[in-house]
Amino acid sequence: MENMNAIEDKKQAASTTVQYIVVAIGNEQYGINIKYIDNIVRKQHITRVPKTQSYYKGVINLRGEIIPVMSVRLKLGLEDDVFTDKTRYIIVKVEGATIGIIVDQVREVVTLDEEDTEKTTKTSNGDAAANYISAIGKHNGELISLLDIVSLVVENN
């Protein structure tokens, strides 16, 4: 019986932890819930698509699949992307849609407990970035803004 309780305790502990890929965008660190990530690919040629929102850079061909690519920087109201050898496209699957998002660098995978995160509130002060951050995570003394990837990718503002 004691073993059953230990197993239940472990299950409960496991359910409160979430893995995030930590990425750099500008001077900030952002976390993306790993459950939405399908792939991480190196920078490749983007084909422009006319008459799309300014934060859509175009599309890429990934193993025969055409995937739209979005600039997280522009969506968050930051300056335009600067492409380097560390630039990556993170391919995410959200609500049946597959989309690539441009990040400056992929840093690490972290596991955060509920105690390590603090929920944020959506603001209406015009700060675009704040509307796409669901929580702030604390890891090794650093703060990580946890992206609400669903609203970032699905909303069309």
Side-chain angles (χ1 to χ4, degrees), residues 5-141:
N5 287 341
I7 290 170
E8 282 302 310
D9 287 345
K10 281 186 177 178
K11 278 184 184 173
Q12 284 181 338
S15 70
T16 61
T17 63
V18 178
Q19 282 192 310
Y20 293 91
I21 290 214
V22 178
V23 299
I25 300 171
N27 297 324
E28 301 295 322
Q29 291 192 110
Y30 294 90
I32 302 171
N33 190 323
I34 208 162
K35 76 178 183 181
Y36 296 111
I37 297 176
D38 183 56
N39 205 337
I40 298 172
V41 296
R42 291 183 180 274
K43 180 177 82 74
Q44 55 182 280
H45 176 72
I46 296 176
T47 303
R48 308 246 347 125
V49 177
K51 298 188 178 174
T52 58
Q53 291 95 336
S54 61
Y55 51 82
Y56 277 107
K57 292 294 191 174
V59 295
I60 59 170
N61 182 344
L62 186 63
R63 294 183 292 282
E65 187 179 357
I66 303 302
I67 298 173
V69 176
M70 180 177 86
S71 168
V72 176
R73 280 176 170 246
L74 293 178
K75 184 86 182 223
L76 295 178
L78 304 172
E79 67 281 354
D80 202 358
D81 296 280
V82 177
F83 292 91
T84 69
D85 60 336
K86 294 182 179 184
T87 300
R88 296 291 181 268
Y89 302 154
I90 296 185
I91 311 302
V92 296
K93 289 188 183 259
V94 178
E95 296 184 2
T98 302
I99 189 166
I101 59 173
I102 303 167
V103 299
D104 295 343
Q105 180 182 3
V106 174
R107 293 222 166 120
E108 62 183 326
V109 175
V110 299
T111 302
L112 298 178
D113 294 322
E114 248 174 60
E115 306 87 64
D116 297 328
T117 62
E118 198 170 305
K119 296 277 183 225
T120 60
T121 54
K122 305 278 186 219
T123 64
S124 58
N125 66 1
D127 183 3
N131 292 324
Y132 301 116
I133 299 192
S134 59
I136 302 294
K138 296 178 272 285
H139 181 71
N140 291 343

